[in-house]
Amino acid sequence: MYRTYRLLKIIFITSLLAFLPVVNAQEVSVPIFRTQPLLTIQHNFRQPSDVVVGNNKKVYVLDGVNNKIKVFNLQGTYLFSFGETGKGKGKFNFPLGIGIDKNDRIYVADSGNHRVQIFTSDGAYLSQFTTNTDKGKPSDPTDVVVNSELRICYVVDNDNHRIILYDLKKNAIINIQGTMGMEKKGFRFPFLIDINQEGNLYIVEVINTRVKVLDPEGNYVTNIGGWGVEKGEFYRPKGVAIDSKNRVFVSDSYLGVIQVFDQDGKFLSVLGDNKGNILKFETPTGLFIDKKMRLYVVEMIADKVSVMRLKD
């Protein structure tokens, strides 16, 4: 029952207001961020939602409906998987987001079990912590990132419209930021998250149609974007990734495009191919950029991960 609810919810958030006409991005004159296609990763996925890549050159794809993490090499060859349906250690109930630290430990936002689980790079269970607190409804963790230097884990709690700061040294929640709303401290259904080299957090707000930027302590810095279909605007933003130059890549799951901003939120370009044409994806969701400037795009409804090299 819960899995059905979660699946319906994610599809609803993805396709809300889908009755409106689709914008043909090819007809809009915008700067193009050129890319080179590398490969496509497919392996019987069922609505995958997120992806990370380790220093060990392994690609971890969150295959949430199948309640598994599937692992590939950089050439897209399947290696192994871990996880299964359940509530026990190492089991999942509709996980949605995945994070990784500098030691290639894997952090999984286990949404239906209201927790984050931590694994070795080979998929062995290490530990877990609950994201439920004494106040509010049960938590709904949808993504997680780690500041390895501060040893703080940041968890997006979608249903409670907040960010949870968990201290990995103290094994305790040390701060909670956010409430339902549209102001500086407000969120409306935050979903996926990334972190830049300075430790600033970039959080996609699906219903507020923006990316909120917080500092490492969780304090407000700025917002990126807003509702619309013009350049620099979002219709249904879903994923975010920061490259080594602090450029911010944001996927729009409804329009099927990926826009690029500087770290302060200035629009730069739209992702395109090496001929200068705007790239269209099928429900782009989670994004990840590795150290070799390869962009991994989870296409949820297409059940695949598209990989390309960033050329600019």
Side-chain angles (χ1 to χ4, degrees):
M1 183 70 179
Y2 183 83
R3 180 184 295 188
T4 300
Y5 161 75
R6 292 298 303 159
L7 181 57
L8 289 174
K9 178 180 176 181
I10 198 68
I11 290 174
F12 170 76
I13 291 176
T14 298
S15 60
L16 193 64
L17 301 179
F19 57 84
L20 293 178
V22 177
V23 173
N24 186 347
Q26 299 289 357
E27 297 177 355
V28 180
S29 178
V30 295
I32 300 299
F33 193 112
R34 294 174 185 260
T35 67
Q36 175 188 353
L38 294 177
L39 68 144
T40 299
I41 300 175
Q42 293 176 294
H43 195 274
N44 299 315
F45 296 131
R46 292 179 62 200
Q47 274 101 48
S49 54
D50 206 3
V51 59
V52 294
V53 182
N55 296 317
N56 58 4
K57 300 181 180 180
K58 292 178 181 176
V59 182
Y60 299 82
V61 181
L62 197 155
D63 190 8
V65 176
N66 284 324
N67 284 307
K68 291 184 179 294
I69 308 298
K70 292 182 177 177
V71 187
F72 304 82
N73 64 20
L74 293 180
Q75 290 72 47
T77 302
Y78 174 76
L79 300 176
F80 63 93
S81 66
F82 58 95
E84 59 180 297
T85 303
K87 297 181 179 180
K89 296 178 179 179
K91 298 182 179 182
F92 303 122
N93 184 7
F94 209 91
L96 286 169
I98 186 171
I100 192 167
D101 67 17
K102 67 178 182 180
N103 295 314
D104 290 338
R105 287 181 289 253
I106 304 300
Y107 298 72
V108 180
D110 188 5
S111 178
N113 286 323
H114 318 294
R115 65 187 179 186
V116 170
Q117 295 196 70
I118 306 172
F119 300 83
T120 69
S121 60
D122 295 323
Y125 171 86
L126 289 173
S127 62
Q128 63 180 285
F129 61 87
T130 181
T131 50
N132 283 334
T133 61
D134 294 335
K135 298 180 179 180
K137 65 179 74 172
S139 62
D140 180 27
T142 55
D143 202 13
V144 54
V145 293
V146 179
N147 186 319
S148 294
E149 282 63 46
L150 297 179
R151 296 203 64 195
I152 294 177
C153 184
Y154 302 89
V155 185
V156 178
D157 184 353
N158 180 270
D159 277 353
N160 288 300
H161 316 286
R162 63 188 185 180
I163 306 300
I164 298 170
L165 284 67
Y166 185 88
D167 192 314
L168 295 167
K169 302 186 298 291
K170 298 178 180 178
N171 293 318
I173 293 174
I174 56 172
N175 198 358
I176 296 174
Q177 290 285 354
T179 186
M180 175 68 162
M182 300 178 65
E183 303 304 321
K184 288 184 177 181
K185 293 185 177 181
F187 292 97
R188 286 200 298 167
F189 297 101
F191 189 54
L192 297 181
I193 184 173
D194 199 13
I195 187 169
N196 72 3
Q197 298 173 80
E198 288 74 41
N200 288 333
L201 307 169
Y202 291 74
I203 305 136
V204 177
E205 294 187 71
V206 176
I207 303 302
N208 278 339
T209 58
R210 65 190 182 190
V211 176
K212 186 183 293 295
V213 186
L214 305 180
D215 69 17
E217 286 73 45
N219 300 308
Y220 173 83
V221 176
T222 191
N223 289 321
I224 296 174
W227 190 88
V229 295
E230 302 295 333
K231 63 183 182 181
E233 298 174 338
F234 305 122
Y235 201 86
R236 277 296 169 264
K238 204 55 72 65
V240 59
I242 320 299
D243 73 5
S244 60
K245 298 180 180 180
N246 273 334
R247 292 175 296 198
V248 183
F249 294 69
V250 183
S251 64
D252 192 311
S253 65
Y254 180 67
L255 295 180
V257 299
I258 296 173
Q259 298 189 66
V260 188
F261 302 80
D262 68 17
Q263 62 181 334
D264 299 317
K266 178 184 177 182
F267 171 81
L268 298 176
S269 55
V270 175
L271 210 67
D273 62 21
N274 54 15
K275 295 181 180 180
N277 300 309
I278 292 175
L279 283 173
K280 293 298 291 291
F281 301 90
E282 188 172 350
T283 321
T285 310
L287 305 176
F288 190 87
I289 301 171
D290 69 16
K291 294 180 179 179
K292 298 293 185 179
M293 291 295 284
R294 289 172 294 219
L295 172 65
Y296 299 75
V297 182
V298 178
E299 298 186 61
M300 176 182 279
I301 303 302
D303 291 326
K304 66 182 182 180
V305 179
S306 296
V307 187
M308 59 212 67
R309 188 179 307 281
L310 302 176
K311 299 181 69 175
D312 285 10

